[in-house]
Amino acid sequence: MESTTPVKTTYAGLDVAKDRLDYALPDERAGYVSNNAEGHARLLRLLRSFAGVRVVCEASGGYERAAVAALLAGGLEVCVVQPGRVRAFALAEGLLAKTDPIDAALLRRFGEKMQPRLAVPTDPAAATLRELLEHRRGLSDQLVAVRNRLELAGPTLRPLLQRQEHFLQKELVAVEAMSAAHTAQDPFLREKAARLRQVQGVGPILAATLLGYVPELGRIESAQLCALIGVAPFARDSGHHSRPRHVRGGRAVVRQVLYMAAVAATRFNPILGAFYARLVAAGKPKLVCLVAVMRKMLGVLNRLLADPQFVLVR
């Protein structure tokens, strides 16, 4: 019987810009390719020459998504890390210079030392849903801005703002209908959305947000998921001092929608409502209690997708 030796993981750094991708390979070669389909294919050929290669890049406002999707589809492992973590690592190294090639090499060293979490591939249907949700969020932000201006608008400006408000309302309804239709047409999304909406307090927007922004849902432990979303409190103790714990980081877009769902759940979900009432009666601040409800909801939703046999108590 032949013994197989595990392939050692080697890291490659990838600095992402709008038009180009600077890379630092495990053999310390460096260069760049265009940030388009042709460049992604060329980069994939380069990386495939290394056994056990793992690519590390930063979240770059969406410019990294196509490259990450191409690498994942090509069978490579990818880590997408927060820029702040990489910058703190650079300061710890004493590195003050910053160029695209320097950043690519820095990302390679960051991967070797920190071994960040692997990115989970996003289903194409979920990626489309995420685009629709981002458009909806942009429309919603514009609508809030217009309504704020309406409060102080004079007689000349008011009709213009009212027309803009009406247009944004129509567009918001249209994109929500598109999101619902897209979810209903895809069996993968439809089944998972139905499972998530079994929890009272989870509406179509939260279900869509979780499916579009959290591909890890149902694939990782609930504690990891809470930290990923940013609802896990972190200790700040030192010596004899024990400071209040606060949540931080995570995916703010998901957390904002989850917060509103938790508020609804405390009113209409008998189990989560009772849980919230117990915490408030124990003297906990109401915001702390709501964050605890958010964690509880995430745990249940994670279990619903992880275990098809899991059934909610009614």
Side-chain angles (χ1 to χ4, degrees), residues 11-303:
Y11 286 87
L14 188 66
D15 185 74
V16 179
K18 178 181 179 180
D19 299 320
R20 79 182 216 174
L21 305 169
D22 284 81
Y23 57 81
L25 301 178
D27 61 1
E28 299 190 0
R29 278 188 295 157
Y32 69 90
V33 296
S34 299
N35 192 0
N36 54 30
E38 182 181 349
H40 302 161
R42 183 183 166 201
L43 179 64
L44 193 56
R45 289 193 297 270
L46 283 169
L47 293 168
R48 278 177 171 164
S49 63
F50 299 93
V53 70
R54 185 174 293 176
V55 181
V56 182
C57 69
E58 293 177 321
S60 303
Y63 289 121
E64 80 287 351
R65 288 180 193 165
V68 169
L71 294 176
L72 289 172
L76 297 185
E77 294 181 336
V78 182
C79 308
V80 182
V81 298
Q82 296 174 352
R85 291 185 63 192
V86 181
R87 186 44 40 193
F89 182 80
L91 294 176
E93 282 192 330
L95 179 65
L96 300 180
K98 188 177 185 339
T99 65
D100 293 342
I102 287 174
D103 284 350
L106 172 67
L107 284 162
R108 180 176 59 81
R109 296 195 302 275
F110 178 88
E112 292 172 345
K113 299 295 183 183
M114 304 306 296
Q115 299 179 3
R117 179 180 55 83
L118 292 175
V120 176
T122 301
D123 179 80
T128 300
L129 180 61
R130 178 172 177 164
E131 288 184 348
L132 291 170
L133 290 170
E134 288 177 347
H135 183 55
R136 178 190 178 277
R137 191 172 72 254
L139 290 171
S140 181
D141 290 343
Q142 291 179 60
L143 186 58
V144 170
V146 168
R147 284 173 173 169
N148 288 340
R149 292 182 64 194
L150 264 171
E151 294 180 1
L152 300 175
T156 302
L157 183 60
R158 180 171 292 276
L160 300 177
L161 291 175
Q162 287 174 334
R163 190 159 62 242
Q164 188 177 5
E165 180 188 28
H166 181 66
F167 169 78
L168 290 171
Q169 286 175 325
K170 287 179 60 178
E171 288 296 301
L172 199 56
V173 170
V175 76
E176 287 177 354
M178 288 179 65
S179 298
H182 179 71
T183 301
Q185 290 168 3
D186 185 83
F188 171 84
L189 295 177
R190 184 174 64 247
E191 180 183 352
K192 292 200 169 187
R195 287 283 285 170
L196 296 176
R197 294 198 62 184
Q198 290 178 13
V199 178
Q200 287 179 277
V202 177
I205 299 301
L206 177 59
T209 300
L210 291 171
L211 294 175
Y213 285 90
V214 194
E216 300 88 351
L217 190 67
R219 303 184 185 184
I220 60 176
E221 296 296 326
S222 294
Q224 292 177 296
L225 184 66
C226 289
L228 189 68
I229 302 304
V231 294
F234 291 96
R236 299 176 64 244
D237 302 338
S238 178
H240 298 291
H241 299 283
S242 180
R243 298 180 179 88
R245 299 185 177 191
H246 296 279
V247 297
R248 62 176 66 182
R251 299 178 186 175
V253 173
V254 180
R255 191 169 57 249
Q256 290 165 4
V257 179
L258 182 63
Y259 174 84
M260 297 307 299
V263 171
T266 60
R267 299 175 183 174
F268 303 109
N269 186 306
I271 297 175
L272 291 175
F275 173 68
Y276 174 79
R278 284 198 306 272
L279 294 178
V280 172
K284 302 288 186 183
K286 290 187 176 180
L287 184 57
V288 171
C289 300
L290 275 174
V291 173
V293 172
M294 293 164 71
R295 281 198 302 278
K296 183 76 73 174
M297 287 183 73
L298 270 181
V300 173
L301 296 170
N302 194 46
R303 181 76 184 278

